[in-house]
């Protein structure tokens, strides 16, 4: 019988986090545009957000290996709470920019956006040793996150009914603050197994050798995601003149399909590496198809299908990413893997410029890079994921 370790409270935290962080992530580019910020400047702000969170995540992963991952998770929620209350109360553009940067909300607006923060994968890997159990726990976390992320997209859809001015965004940022603070409180009731003593300054050589392969794939994929995804709500607005209600509805349905995909991932009996690689390739194909779409309903349908595919792949990928990592290095290894993705997502800085050139260009380039990254993920890890490491 597997120990629960307060898993229900971890689920509750991800549910609360998803509603708050998804609303902020979806609305941020629209909000900045509404207060007069140009697309190229929005891209640079997202670059700052990704850069800040990249450095923070690396530091917190290393700290988590030594002090525990629960503390790291709580710290991140408190930081996001501070960012959201600044967005709710401030009309100063510098403070708004700073809030978006320290909150790390410049990443992808996908359905599992709310589940991840530094220490989450490491905590699951540490508490549950069996890979099937890890996938099961992660699939439920990601499914719950995607379903509750619908709340964030609904908030965006309701914004115009609450107030069609920028005040509507700010009122809902306060709700995000309350939810993120409640998420931090929920984490207090989670438990964590005793950490193995750290024997290396950074990471064991065996762990480093394994994650270096993940980093290569994640870097290419992340560069593509940074170009295509952060400004996706704005892309729908510019390319198809979609309003906030329509954009929110698209993401609402996408989060539902992502949740379904995450639940299905727990039932798939194929090799997790193959599932992780093929779904990543398909994620890129969907982006390219969206770029070529002449109609909003088709572009929306493709993104919704992409959500289902992403939901299937994510839990398997998270489990595969720690196959060759020593238990004492879970936090640092997860942070290095995430660091590669986040740093490469700083390509969001050029996303705004590409939008000015052609609305389809960010999705075409981003989709191609994600397809290549998925192929390399399979090739690089195929020879090493079956090797056992000490746990």
């Amino acid at each position: 019988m597997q120990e629960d370790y307060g898993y229900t409270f971890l689920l509750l935290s991800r549910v609360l986090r998803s509603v708050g962080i998804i609303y902020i992530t979806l609305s941020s580019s629209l909000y900045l545009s509404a207060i007069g910020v140009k697309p190229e400047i929005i891209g640079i702000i997202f670059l700052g957000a990704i850069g800040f969170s990249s450095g923070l995540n690396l530091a917190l992963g290393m700290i988590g290996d030594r002090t525990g991952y629960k503390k790291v998770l709580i710290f991140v929620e408190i930081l996001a709470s501070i960012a959201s209350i600044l967005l709710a109360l401030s009309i100063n553009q510098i403070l708004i920019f700073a809030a978006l940067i320290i909150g790390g909300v410049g990443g992808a607006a996908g359905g599992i956006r709310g589940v991840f923060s530094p220490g989450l994968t490491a905590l699951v890997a540490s508490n549950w040793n069996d890979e099937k159990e890890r996938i099961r726990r992660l699939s439920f976390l990601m499914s719950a996150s995607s379903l509750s992320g619908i709340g964030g997209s609904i908030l965006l859809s309701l914004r115009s009914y609450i107030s069609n001015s920028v005040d509507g965004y700010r009122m809902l940022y306060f709700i995000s603050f309350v939810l993120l603070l409640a998420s931090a409180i929920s984490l207090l009731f989670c438990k964590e197994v005793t950490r193995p003593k750290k024997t290396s300054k950074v990471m064991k050589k065996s762990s480093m050798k394994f994650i270096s392969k993940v980093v290569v794939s994640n870097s290419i994929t992340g560069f593509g995601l940074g170009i295509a995804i952060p400004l996706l709500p704005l892309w729908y607005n510019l390319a198809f003149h979609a309003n906030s209600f329509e954009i929110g509805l698209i993401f609402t349905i996408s989060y539902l399909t992502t949740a379904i995909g995450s639940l299905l991932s727990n039932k798939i009996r194929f090799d997790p590496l193959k599932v992780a690689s093929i779904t990543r390739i398909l994620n890129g194909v969907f982006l390219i198809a969206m770029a070529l779409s002449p109609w909003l309903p088709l572009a929306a349908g493709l993104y919704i299908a992409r959500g289902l595919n992403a939901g299937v792949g994510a839990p398997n990928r998270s489990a595969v990413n720690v196959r060759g990592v020593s238990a004492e290095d879970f936090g640092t290894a997860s942070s290095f893997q995430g660091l590669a993705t986040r740093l490469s997502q700083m390509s969001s800085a050029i996303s705004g410029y590409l939008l000015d050139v052609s609305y389809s260009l960010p999705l075409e380039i981003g989709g191609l890079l994600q397809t290549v990254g998925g192929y390399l993920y399979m090739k690089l890890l195929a020879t090493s994921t079956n090797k056992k490491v000490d746990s």
Side-chain angles (χ1 to χ4, degrees):
M1 181 73 178
Q2 288 279 345
E3 176 66 45
D4 185 72
Y5 299 114
Y7 183 72
T8 301
F9 291 102
L10 183 60
L11 271 173
L12 177 60
S13 168
R14 299 304 91 178
V15 166
L16 295 169
R17 171 181 172 79
S18 288
V19 180
I21 208 72
I22 288 292
Y23 169 70
I24 298 174
T25 303
L26 287 177
S27 66
S28 56
S29 61
L30 298 171
Y31 175 56
L32 290 172
S33 180
I35 62 175
V37 183
K38 296 180 179 180
E40 54 268 30
I41 303 300
I42 296 174
I44 293 173
I45 293 168
F46 281 9
L47 181 152
I50 294 168
F52 177 83
S53 64
S54 297
L56 182 67
N57 287 2
L58 179 59
L60 291 179
M62 297 174 71
I63 292 171
D65 282 340
R66 291 164 172 80
T67 65
Y69 307 123
K70 173 180 169 180
K71 295 175 183 177
V72 166
L73 284 168
I74 293 172
F75 174 79
V76 172
E77 297 305 273
I78 292 174
L79 196 62
S81 299
I82 293 171
S84 56
I85 196 64
L86 282 174
L87 289 170
L89 300 179
S90 179
I91 60 174
N92 182 283
Q93 284 198 0
I94 300 301
L95 285 178
I96 292 170
F97 297 167
L100 291 172
I101 289 172
I102 68 168
V105 297
I112 55 175
R113 173 74 170 90
V115 72
F116 288 115
S117 55
L120 188 279
T121 300
L123 179 65
V124 173
S126 181
N127 280 0
W128 296 282
N129 293 322
D130 181 69
E131 183 175 78
K132 290 183 178 179
E133 185 65 17
R134 288 172 179 171
I135 293 176
R136 190 176 79 87
R137 299 281 179 170
L138 285 166
S139 71
F140 286 135
L141 284 169
M142 293 178 186
S143 178
S145 177
S146 297
L147 281 173
S148 52
I150 291 172
S153 59
I154 288 175
L155 288 179
L156 179 62
S157 293
L158 292 177
R159 196 247 354 146
S160 58
Y161 293 97
I162 295 172
S163 173
N164 207 28
S165 67
V166 292
D167 290 333
Y169 289 110
R170 293 175 183 141
M171 291 171 63
L172 294 172
Y173 286 139
F174 183 78
I175 294 178
S176 295
F177 161 72
V178 173
L179 292 168
L180 289 165
L181 186 60
S183 173
I185 294 171
S186 298
L187 289 169
L188 294 173
F189 300 96
C190 296
K191 298 178 182 179
E192 183 175 1
V193 299
T194 303
R195 299 287 309 127
K197 185 178 180 181
K198 190 76 172 175
T199 60
S200 60
K201 290 184 178 180
V202 179
M203 197 187 317
K204 285 186 172 182
K205 290 183 178 179
S206 59
S207 299
M208 180 66 79
K209 183 178 180 180
F210 176 82
I211 69 159
S212 64
K213 299 179 180 181
V214 179
V215 164
V216 171
S217 171
N218 282 6
S219 296
I220 296 171
T221 301
F223 195 87
L225 288 174
I227 291 174
I229 300 298
L231 299 188
L232 192 58
L234 185 59
W235 176 77
Y236 277 117
N237 175 258
L238 295 175
F240 299 106
H241 306 290
N243 58 38
S244 60
F245 175 81
E246 292 169 328
I247 295 169
L249 182 62
I250 292 168
F251 282 94
T252 295
I253 301 173
S254 171
Y255 296 155
L256 178 60
T257 58
T258 302
I260 293 171
S262 295
L263 285 175
L264 290 176
S265 70
N266 188 40
K267 307 297 182 182
I268 294 175
R269 302 306 178 195
F270 296 113
D271 177 14
L273 174 60
K274 292 182 179 179
V275 175
S277 301
I278 292 171
T279 51
R280 177 170 273 184
I281 291 170
L282 289 175
N283 281 343
V285 172
F286 279 119
L287 285 178
I288 295 170
M290 287 170 60
L292 300 176
S293 172
W295 307 294
L296 176 61
L298 179 57
L302 288 167
Y303 187 69
I304 289 166
R306 185 181 184 275
L308 177 68
N309 181 70
V312 171
N316 287 276
R317 197 154 43 249
S318 294
V320 170
N321 285 351
V322 294
R323 273 186 179 180
V325 175
S326 174
E328 70 177 68
D329 296 326
F330 283 151
T332 304
S334 297
S335 292
F336 267 105
Q337 293 163 6
L339 179 67
T341 302
R342 288 175 180 271
L343 283 178
S344 54
Q345 282 183 15
M346 292 175 76
S347 58
S348 63
I350 65 174
S351 183
Y353 291 99
L354 292 174
L355 274 175
D356 279 341
V357 175
S358 170
Y359 293 150
S360 63
L361 205 54
L363 273 68
E364 290 170 345
I365 296 174
L368 178 61
L369 289 170
Q370 189 168 28
T371 301
V372 172
Y375 174 78
L376 286 176
Y377 189 82
M378 171 75 79
K379 286 295 183 181
L380 292 171
L381 296 187
T383 59
S384 59
T385 52
N386 291 323
K387 295 180 180 179
K388 302 292 184 183
V389 296
D390 59 305
S391 58

